[in-house]
Amino acid sequence: MEKLKIILLVVICTLTSSILAQEKTITGTIYDTSGRPIVGASILIKNTTKGTSSDFDGNYTIGANEKDVLEISYVGFISQEIVVNEQTKINTTLQEDVSQLEEIIVVAYGAQKRGTITSSIVNIKSEELKDITTPDVTTMLQGKVAGVRLGASSGSPGSVPNILIRGSSSLGGRVTPLWVIDGVIQHSIPIVNPNDVQSVSVLKDASATSLYGSRGANGVVIVTTKRGTSGKSEISVSSKVAINTFNTGKFEVMDSRQLYEYHTQFANSQPWFAPELLDRNYDWIENGTQDGFVKDVNVSFTSGTEKLKLYINGGYYNETGTLRGNELDRYTYRMNLDYDITKRLKVSPKLSFSFDNRDKIAEAPLYELYLNLPWDNPFDAEGKPINAQEDSNWLGRDQRNYLYDQQWNYSSDNTFNLSSNFDFEYQVVPNLVFKSVNNFTYYRYKSKIYTDPRSISGLATGGSINDRIDERFTKLTTQILQYSNIFGEHSVTALGGYEYNNYVYENVDVTGNGIVAGTEVLNVASETGEISGFKNDYALQSFFLSANYGFSNRYYAKASIRRDGASNFGLDDQYGNFFSLGAGWNIHNEAFFNSKAINELKLRASYGSVGNRPSSLYPYQGTYRLNTQYIGTPGAVLDQLGNPDLSWEKSYEANIAIDTRLFDRVSATFEYYNKDTSDLLYFVNLPDVTGYSGFWENVGGLTNTGYEAAISVDVIQSENFEWNLGFNIGFNKNEITELFDGQTEIPRGSKIFKIGEDSSSWYIRKWLGVDPDNGNPLWEVVDPDTGARTETSNWNDATLQIVDSSSPDFIGGFDSRLSYKNISLSANFNFSKGGKLYNGARELFDSDGFYTTFNQQVLADDWNRWEKPGDIATHPLVVEGGNNNSNKRSSRYLEDASYLRMTNVTLSYNLPQDILSKIGISNFNVYVAGDNLLTFTKYSGVDPAVTGNPNDPNNIGLSGSPGLTYPIPKRYVLGVNVSF
């Protein structure tokens, strides 16, 4: 009996231990200290290889026994060990490990930890972007990313520069990057309130951009906007005021006495030229410019619970231009909502809009301010604007006083942009998530031009009203299935997706003539003027796959492929395939690596292909123009010759880089890239005799090779005092390697495409200076047979040849950030070295006597004019009517565009926390700042940073021919930020 009891006891104990040892399902969520879920956290059962990772909502599921210990870890956070015991739900908050914190970077269709990235991606946080006062995100990037060049076209309120990443990789396609806002591909440069920006990722190489296929050929800029945070509600108010001052750079025109002495040099023979002119000295620039003012106010609200997170921001931006008569009002709104309907389903609707309004614009014309003579006064004795055409004392050639018409004439315009998203995520099974992005955008531009019948410009038509409306609709849907998991030391992420995007644009432009003064609606017009309308559309369809693999925090690999279909091409060439491969090696995590000096050392390499489409939406089709008639009968005229064999432009790019951190103080990245573009898209012009304007063709190839470096140094890191220095630089060489139909060169006005040369090469007569014997201009003649070089004073005999290019040798920026307790001082600089701008304004203002009734430019300090035989001069003898066409287009007006500019300097103060807690607010910051205060350059024009003009047909700001441009103003700022 006793033995039976013992046997039963053993059996009971065995069964009990078996029950206790049975595995059960553990669920939970991993959070960071701000209450946000951590994606990709590792959950391992200690001393085993069994594990899992948290999904996009921070959730995980794992089977474990009560005695098991869960090891929960994530790079940049302190790991935790938790005994399971009787628990079935284990939520954990990980504390940040400041010594190992690794940032999460937004990449194509997702996010990655910095250490796992194999591509060329630069991430900029919001605090690094808000130094400069601007209503657009583009300007905030100036000088902050190696290899990224900004090309401005104007400094007028609301103007936005273009971006060029790693040089120009196309001749007839788009050369500017793709913009993506919160996963939504944008049609053009978007309007985003800088206050809404959480971070900006700039994707530079093919490995980073190839998942965007045909849209990623010129790089990608991904903007991530702010979201609500769990467990925290906050209202923030930011307000700033600024003064803009007109900045003429080194460009200066003559006053009355200077202009009189200039005319004396060539003995002006006009009867009106007399000493009495010295009594007349009207300053057109002083009276046509002003100090502009900026007001920028934002109010945002963030809130969050475990299920719902909300971010709302409303902004108002007002800027008056430094040219009188132009003012911009911009209103912006953004709402981002994240709602966990269930543990597996999250919806994320978003809504944003912007509204720009410019009312009653009567802006002073910049050219006239400079061209008009100081001897012409625009007002009569009673202070009223005079009609220059009826004033016998008016000397200016164009007989135009812009102030006379501006008594009545004006223009108004407004632009409305709306973007609406319904996005959601659904966890199909653990580690497998379905993501859906669905976006609709609406753009409307409306303008009115009023020309009064009393004005000179309204005499021919009896006054007119012009109304124009432009509308654009885009739809985008992106459906992605993503799998992420960790198997011991192995990590895998894979995604597959489908994307569809379409676009429809339409405009109507109507003019009515013969109006009653002061009326503003078309119905008052007595007759119909010009009527025009336009419509176009396109569609893109894409399929893509991507996979990332990591092993033991040491080795990483990436591969992706995308198939794009575009309506730009015919049926036989409608689809293109693009791919990328990338690899990374964290050498510092190897067991053999043991260096106290080198904290991080990573080698990465990538190779991939991206595509490009032509700027035309119907390049493969033969087209007709129907906007013509003969004696009232409508007709069609041949326009474009079709090319059904037109195919994709493709770029293949290799990138190799080293990322390192030394002495826990110095972070550095060094990169080399080679981007080879083939099947270049280009519009080939045809002779008029053919009846066609031309056709699109794949004409050849070009390469961009370059080096980039970015260095950040924590000079001082102490409890109360910090000092950081940053520097970046990018070198790029552009070269055409092949052209259409065996040609070696294709002239195109003042530029040329030529094999072996930069695609932005100037093709122009070469200026040789001034003949010291007689003061005549000199140009170069090249014998086409022998190559012998001689001089000529006949402009027509001079040889058209390549003289430099508009591409800079290198670009970059540097910054300094100092903080002591609650005070901080930061300064940012950007620079550009090399490259020639064509200062075309000098054809008018530096004309050597050709334009006697235009004002003229004051010679720069290192310039001088020829006066007598033997003089070595920069400027020819001034002659009434001009000196042998000396002011005609030549390299005389090509100028070195090198510059160094202080982009911004900011001094700020944060109110101490002990004071803040007493007054019930969480943050109070006040600052003063200055933008564009210092520029060092030899360029004689208005602004070397303005490298194009608003009328560039395809690439605004990048032509290298700025003309006389609206300069970027100097700005003085006072601002305050308050949160509570």
Side-chain angles (χ1 to χ4, degrees):
M1 189 67 179
E2 192 67 28
K3 288 183 180 180
L4 181 60
K5 289 180 179 180
I6 293 172
I7 292 172
L8 288 173
L9 182 60
V10 170
V11 171
I12 291 172
C13 291
T14 302
L15 290 173
T16 302
S17 63
S18 176
I19 292 171
L20 289 174
Q22 282 183 352
E23 187 177 86
K24 57 185 176 180
T25 300
I26 309 298
T27 62
T29 307
I30 314 299
Y31 299 98
D32 62 16
T33 52
S34 62
R36 291 174 296 191
I38 296 177
V39 181
S42 173
I43 301 95
L44 285 172
I45 297 177
K46 191 173 182 179
N47 297 325
T48 72
T49 58
K50 184 178 181 181
T52 187
S53 60
S54 57
D55 62 20
F56 284 96
D57 298 319
N59 300 324
Y60 73 92
T61 301
I62 192 171
N65 298 318
E66 290 188 355
K67 293 183 179 181
D68 286 340
V69 177
L70 299 185
E71 293 182 331
I72 303 175
S73 63
Y74 189 70
V75 178
F77 290 79
I78 299 173
S79 300
Q80 286 192 26
E81 293 187 359
I82 301 174
V83 180
V84 173
N85 291 328
E86 298 177 354
Q87 303 175 88
T88 57
K89 185 177 182 63
I90 301 176
N91 294 334
T92 306
T93 299
L94 296 182
Q95 303 294 318
E96 292 180 353
D97 184 350
V98 178
S99 64
Q100 298 184 28
L101 187 61
E102 186 172 17
E103 64 180 319
I104 300 296
I105 295 176
V106 177
V107 298
Y109 300 102
Q112 284 183 252
K113 291 180 287 185
R114 183 175 62 86
T116 68
I117 288 177
T118 62
S119 309
S120 181
I121 301 175
V122 176
N123 183 255
I124 311 170
K125 300 298 184 184
S126 59
E127 55 269 19
E128 302 175 60
L129 292 168
K130 292 183 179 178
D131 44 14
I132 192 167
T133 299
T134 176
D136 69 275
V137 176
T138 311
T139 305
M140 299 162 70
L141 298 175
Q142 181 75 63
K144 292 184 170 67
V145 183
V148 174
R149 171 187 163 201
L150 266 64
S153 62
S154 172
S156 64
S159 62
V160 179
N162 248 325
I163 294 181
L164 199 63
I165 298 177
R166 292 185 167 179
S168 176
S169 59
S170 182
L171 301 183
R174 178 174 172 169
V175 299
T176 53
L178 174 71
W179 285 78
V180 179
I181 311 295
D182 290 333
V184 177
I185 293 172
Q186 307 293 305
H187 171 73
S188 58
I189 299 176
I191 294 176
V192 180
N193 186 337
N195 195 71
D196 290 334
V197 176
Q198 181 64 41
S199 67
V200 175
S201 292
V202 180
L203 283 56
K204 297 191 287 186
D205 71 339
S207 176
T209 65
S210 65
L211 211 53
Y212 290 105
S214 64
R215 295 176 162 190
N218 306 297
V220 181
V221 180
I222 301 178
V223 178
T224 304
T225 60
K226 295 177 180 177
R227 315 297 281 267
T229 54
S230 178
K232 184 179 182 181
S233 295
E234 185 175 77
I235 296 176
S236 298
V237 179
S238 66
S239 177
K240 67 175 72 172
V241 292
I243 298 175
N244 293 341
T245 61
F246 187 71
N247 176 21
T248 60
K250 293 190 173 185
F251 187 77
E252 181 185 358
V253 292
M254 298 178 178
D255 61 19
S256 178
R257 179 164 294 278
Q258 291 170 319
L259 189 62
Y260 187 86
E261 292 173 353
Y262 170 77
H263 280 244
T264 302
Q265 292 180 43
F266 59 83
N268 190 322
S269 61
Q270 299 299 318
W272 50 260
F273 184 68
E276 288 76 20
L277 291 175
L278 293 172
D279 298 329
R280 297 153 65 175
N281 188 24
Y282 185 79
D283 192 334
W284 286 91
I285 297 174
E286 175 66 24
N287 289 279
T289 61
Q290 64 183 358
D291 286 340
F293 291 91
V294 176
K295 297 184 287 288
D296 188 4
V297 180
N298 285 273
V299 179
S300 63
F301 172 72
T302 58
S303 182
T305 64
E306 187 175 340
K307 284 183 170 289
L308 187 145
K309 303 171 188 65
L310 176 66
Y311 170 81
I312 297 176
N313 182 68
Y316 171 68
Y317 182 91
N318 171 269
E319 181 177 354
T320 54
T322 53
L323 287 180
R324 294 181 185 275
N326 193 351
E327 182 175 359
L328 168 68
D329 282 305
R330 173 171 291 175
Y331 304 85
T332 59
Y333 171 83
R334 181 172 297 275
M335 184 276 294
N336 291 339
L337 176 67
D338 297 292
Y339 179 51
D340 296 332
I341 296 178
T342 68
K343 291 181 179 180
R344 300 172 66 180
L345 177 63
K346 178 173 73 174
V347 295
S348 301
K350 303 177 184 69
L351 179 67
S352 65
F353 71 76
S354 67
F355 179 74
D356 287 4
N357 186 56
R358 300 173 190 264
D359 193 30
K360 301 294 178 70
I361 302 168
E363 185 177 80
L366 189 61
Y367 260 100
E368 292 187 38
L369 296 185
Y370 281 103
L371 283 173
N372 286 345
L373 299 173
W375 303 324
D376 291 329
N377 192 320
F379 301 105
D380 61 19
E382 298 178 357
K384 296 181 179 179
I386 64 172
N387 184 341
Q389 295 183 358
E390 298 176 353
D391 188 338
S392 60
N393 290 320
W394 194 274
L395 304 178
R397 187 194 73 170
D398 296 333
Q399 297 289 296
R400 172 173 161 77
N401 174 17
Y402 76 90
L403 290 166
Y404 182 78
D405 275 15
Q406 281 193 357
Q407 296 177 96
W408 309 289
N409 297 350
Y410 66 86
S411 64
S412 298
D413 66 71
N414 59 68
T415 305
F416 179 72
N417 281 280
L418 173 70
S419 178
S420 177
N421 270 52
F422 183 76
D423 305 342
F424 65 90
E425 295 181 11
Y426 180 74
Q427 183 176 332
V428 182
V429 294
N431 306 315
L432 184 64
V433 176
F434 176 72
K435 299 174 63 176
S436 179
V437 175
N438 305 281
N439 173 263
F440 169 84
T441 68
Y442 171 68
Y443 161 91
R444 189 206 66 187
Y445 170 80
K446 184 178 180 181
S447 71
K448 180 184 293 292
I449 300 174
Y450 172 80
T451 305
D452 196 276
R454 294 165 290 183
S455 67
I456 295 172
S457 54
L459 291 177
T461 60
S464 65
I465 296 171
N466 172 263
D467 281 345
R468 172 173 175 161
I469 296 178
D470 297 39
E471 288 187 317
R472 181 179 72 225
F473 299 87
T474 67
K475 290 179 286 185
L476 172 78
T477 181
T478 307
Q479 312 301 320
I480 296 174
L481 195 61
Q482 179 162 329
Y483 175 81
S484 301
N485 207 349
I486 295 176
F487 308 93
E489 294 187 296
H490 306 272
S491 62
V492 176
T493 300
L495 65 84
Y498 169 79
E499 190 165 78
Y500 178 80
N501 185 198
N502 69 357
Y503 153 101
V504 178
Y505 167 85
E506 188 171 5
N507 94 299
V508 176
D509 196 334
V510 180
T511 300
N513 297 327
I515 63 172
V516 177
T519 54
E520 295 185 329
V521 293
L522 280 170
N523 195 46
V524 305
S526 59
E527 63 180 23
T528 302
E530 185 177 348
I531 299 175
S532 64
F534 183 77
K535 183 176 182 179
N536 61 23
D537 56 8
Y538 70 72
L540 292 169
Q541 179 175 249
S542 308
F543 307 86
F544 54 91
L545 293 168
S546 177
N548 291 272
Y549 170 76
F551 175 72
S552 186
N553 289 327
R554 290 178 291 165
Y555 312 113
Y556 298 96
K558 174 187 177 182
S560 68
I561 186 170
R562 178 168 176 135
R563 181 170 173 80
D564 272 351
S567 60
N568 301 68
F569 300 101
L571 294 177
D572 293 338
D573 297 285
Q574 204 157 58
Y575 283 86
N577 300 315
F578 312 99
F579 72 93
S580 74
L581 300 169
W585 180 21
N586 282 334
I587 303 172
H588 60 277
N589 286 335
E590 293 286 359
F592 64 78
F593 190 87
N594 184 17
S595 172
K596 294 182 179 180
I598 303 177
N599 310 107
E600 295 179 15
L601 181 61
K602 181 179 181 179
L603 176 66
R604 52 184 168 84
S606 64
Y607 182 77
S609 68
V610 286
N612 205 355
R613 296 174 292 131
S615 55
S616 169
L617 298 184
Y618 312 103
Y620 72 96
Q621 295 178 328
T623 60
Y624 296 85
R625 286 190 296 109
L626 296 172
N627 59 341
T628 186
Q629 54 85 29
Y630 179 72
I631 316 178
T633 302
V637 177
L638 293 173
D639 185 23
Q640 176 181 282
L641 180 65
N643 179 6
D645 296 324
L646 189 72
S647 63
W648 296 82
E649 182 175 287
K650 287 192 176 183
S651 294
Y652 296 87
E653 183 174 4
N655 193 91
I656 187 167
I658 294 176
D659 303 320
T660 187
R661 184 166 178 81
L662 310 174
F663 308 106
D664 207 22
R665 295 267 180 171
V666 181
S667 296
T669 294
F670 304 96
E671 299 198 51
Y672 167 78
Y673 63 87
N674 183 298
K675 181 162 58 174
D676 185 15
T677 306
S678 59
D679 294 326
L680 288 168
L681 292 160
Y682 184 67
F683 187 77
V684 180
N685 293 310
L686 290 174
D688 292 340
V689 69
T690 66
Y692 293 98
S693 59
F695 65 99
W696 281 91
E697 181 61 278
N698 298 101
V699 302
L702 62 79
T703 62
N704 283 274
T705 56
Y707 302 87
E708 295 171 355
I711 301 173
S712 176
V713 183
D714 298 323
V715 183
I716 299 174
Q717 289 289 319
S718 64
E719 183 177 353
N720 293 321
F721 185 37
E722 295 182 357
W723 182 21
N724 175 269
L725 292 174
F727 173 83
N728 72 79
I729 191 170
F731 299 82
N732 182 80
K733 182 181 179 182
N734 176 284
E735 181 181 338
I736 295 176
T737 58
E738 183 184 356
L739 287 174
F740 166 68
D741 200 23
Q743 297 181 78
T744 59
E745 59 184 45
I746 301 176
R748 52 188 193 105
S750 295
K751 289 193 173 181
I752 189 172
F753 296 144
K754 184 174 182 178
I755 293 178
E757 301 290 344
D758 191 294
S759 61
S760 292
S761 295
W762 291 108
Y763 187 61
I764 204 163
R765 289 169 172 83
K766 187 174 183 179
W767 174 259
L768 295 182
V770 179
D771 190 328
D773 296 329
N774 54 27
N776 287 338
L778 293 174
W779 294 277
E780 186 172 80
V781 179
V782 181
D783 188 291
D785 298 321
T786 65
R789 298 176 182 270
T790 55
E791 299 174 349
T792 182
S793 290
N794 187 327
W795 180 85
N796 291 301
D797 291 340
T799 303
L800 286 169
Q801 58 183 296
I802 290 179
V803 186
D804 217 304
S805 79
S806 59
S807 300
D809 299 327
F810 59 84
I811 55 174
F814 58 91
D815 62 84
S816 171
R817 299 177 185 274
L818 286 157
S819 65
Y820 176 70
K821 293 186 176 179
N822 297 315
I823 300 174
S824 64
L825 174 66
S826 66
N828 291 282
F829 296 79
N830 76 89
F831 57 83
S832 177
K833 175 66 173 67
K836 296 293 181 67
L837 294 181
Y838 187 78
N839 190 357
R842 287 179 56 194
E843 294 180 9
L844 304 176
F845 298 103
D846 192 9
S847 68
D848 308 320
F850 189 86
Y851 293 106
T852 58
T853 50
F854 285 165
N855 203 349
Q856 294 295 292
Q857 181 178 2
V858 176
L859 299 187
D861 292 340
D862 56 348
W863 291 354
N864 65 305
R865 188 174 296 282
W866 190 93
E867 296 180 357
K868 61 184 185 302
D871 283 352
I872 305 301
T874 58
H875 283 55
L877 172 70
V878 60
V879 177
E880 186 173 12
N883 187 341
N884 293 287
N885 292 318
S886 62
N887 68 316
K888 294 197 74 171
R889 183 162 289 244
S890 76
S891 65
R892 175 186 181 183
Y893 300 132
L894 284 181
E895 296 191 39
D896 185 358
S898 302
Y899 72 89
L900 168 64
R901 168 168 287 176
M902 177 188 279
T903 313
N904 170 267
V905 59
T906 300
L907 177 65
S908 68
Y909 175 74
N910 289 306
L911 207 63
Q913 284 297 321
D914 55 345
I915 298 177
L916 293 175
S917 59
K918 293 178 181 178
I919 58 179
I921 62 177
S922 58
N923 174 65
F924 183 91
N925 169 261
V926 62
Y927 60 92
V928 292
D931 297 341
N932 309 312
L933 300 186
L934 297 172
T935 301
F936 304 94
T937 184
K938 292 183 178 181
Y939 181 63
S940 71
V942 172
D943 192 339
V946 179
T947 58
N949 63 73
N951 299 318
D952 298 343
N954 296 317
N955 301 306
I956 293 174
L958 298 171
S959 68
S961 300
L964 184 62
T965 52
Y966 197 135
I968 299 172
K970 295 182 179 180
R971 183 170 289 164
Y972 304 88
V973 186
L974 172 64
V976 62
N977 299 308
V978 182
S979 300
F980 51 90

